[in-house]
Amino acid sequence: MTNARRVLIHQDRDTLAGSLAARFITKVVDLLDQQAEVNVVLTGGTVGAAVLSAINASPARDSIDWSRVVIWWGDERWLPRGDAERNDTQSRAALLDHVNLRPENIHWLPAPDDGISLDEAAALYAAELAAAAPEGSDFPRFDVTFLGVGPDGHVASLFPESAGVRVTDATVVAVRNSPKPPPERLSFTLPVINSSDRVWLALAGSDKASALGLALAGASTLEVPAAGVEGRLRTVFFVDRDAAAEVPADLIAVEY
């Protein structure tokens, strides 16, 4: 299959979240008919949480065999476990605490209350990825990776002009001096993000329009990290009408 970037436009954020939730459920059910388990990478942010909440609210939620779903996060804020600003805390409240996931299938990113440094945490999560990887790889085969995109074009915790965007020889990086609080974070690198079969980016709001337009127009990855995102099979931007103001017409998909 040839990968191609496509943009699906929705009326508003709620419609976007519901549509993406339905697609996720359908895709995971299909994949579990073909393979033993599914590796999913979650994201944080308002839209990311809205999508997970929509999955939880769907009548089809339990058509997924959640015991065969493996959960990862593409980035995390370096805050104590249970902090309301941590991505995993938001994911738990929106979905994870409501479905029958196996505890060993949830790969939480480390936290400062684990008694380790930020660099040690990056190395620890990289080792966890490697332990779950097939022979010859440093990370698992990811089936679906969710991403948000910031108004500055950042994805995960890879910010414009930051050192992390340039990293290609590591799977997880320690992020310091983030322009968006908190300053310290952990993040997948772009090679890991782009290893996913499907990367689904969700954006809502007029403040995202410029970043989305630049990413799709081929801006420098260093300046607009979202421009460097490309899943192995599919790269799809799920956006609302406000975020789609600067999308090139030839990239708008009627259906997916």
Side-chain angles (χ1 to χ4, degrees):
M1 182 183 298
T2 301
N3 181 27
R5 290 182 169 193
R6 290 291 180 264
V7 180
L8 289 173
I9 300 176
H10 303 79
Q11 185 63 37
D12 51 37
R13 191 187 75 177
D14 290 344
T15 306
L16 182 164
S19 173
L20 190 43
R23 292 176 190 278
F24 174 79
I25 292 169
T26 299
K27 176 53 65 177
V28 171
V29 169
D30 287 347
L31 288 171
L32 288 174
D33 280 343
Q34 306 164 29
Q35 58 197 57
E37 62 183 24
V38 169
N39 280 279
V40 178
V41 181
L42 301 182
T43 188
T46 304
V47 180
V51 171
L52 296 186
S53 293
I55 294 170
N56 185 50
S58 171
R61 182 194 73 180
D62 293 332
S63 61
I64 292 176
D65 180 354
W66 290 97
S67 70
R68 295 161 59 200
V69 176
V70 182
I71 299 294
W72 305 83
W73 279 267
D75 75 318
E76 186 56 276
R77 298 165 180 180
W78 190 238
L79 297 168
R81 292 197 184 281
D83 190 289
E85 295 301 311
R86 276 183 67 96
N87 292 338
D88 59 14
T89 302
Q90 297 171 11
S91 298
R92 288 187 65 171
L95 175 65
L96 303 190
D97 283 349
H98 308 284
V99 292
N100 187 33
L101 289 159
R102 296 170 62 189
E104 62 269 29
N105 283 352
I106 307 176
H107 294 273
W108 314 101
L109 276 137
D113 40 330
D114 294 337
I116 58 177
S117 70
L118 186 63
D119 289 323
E120 289 169 334
L124 187 66
Y125 207 60
E128 195 163 339
L129 287 168
E135 186 174 354
S137 180
D138 293 327
F139 40 82
R141 173 190 164 189
F142 298 115
D143 296 284
V144 177
T145 291
F146 288 105
L147 288 176
V149 179
D152 60 355
H154 82 266
V155 290
S157 285
L158 302 175
F159 293 90
E161 308 288 349
S162 69
V165 179
R166 301 177 173 89
V167 174
T168 59
D169 59 352
T171 55
V172 183
V173 290
V175 177
R176 294 180 171 85
N177 301 315
S178 160
K180 181 180 178 181
E184 295 185 323
R185 298 158 175 253
L186 297 164
S187 181
F188 279 2
T189 57
L190 275 174
V192 181
I193 291 170
N194 289 342
S195 75
S196 184
D197 284 351
R198 300 158 195 84
V199 179
W200 293 347
L201 302 98
L203 304 84
S206 57
D207 61 330
K208 308 293 179 70
S210 177
L212 177 60
L214 288 169
L216 294 171
S220 160
T221 298
L222 186 59
E223 296 177 356
V224 184
V229 173
E230 184 174 11
R232 290 182 60 251
L233 302 180
R234 294 280 190 180
T235 308
V236 185
F237 293 80
F238 296 82
V239 306
D240 70 357
R241 291 197 175 279
D242 290 338
E246 299 181 32
V247 173
D250 61 331
L251 293 179
I252 298 174
V254 176
E255 60 184 14
Y256 166 46

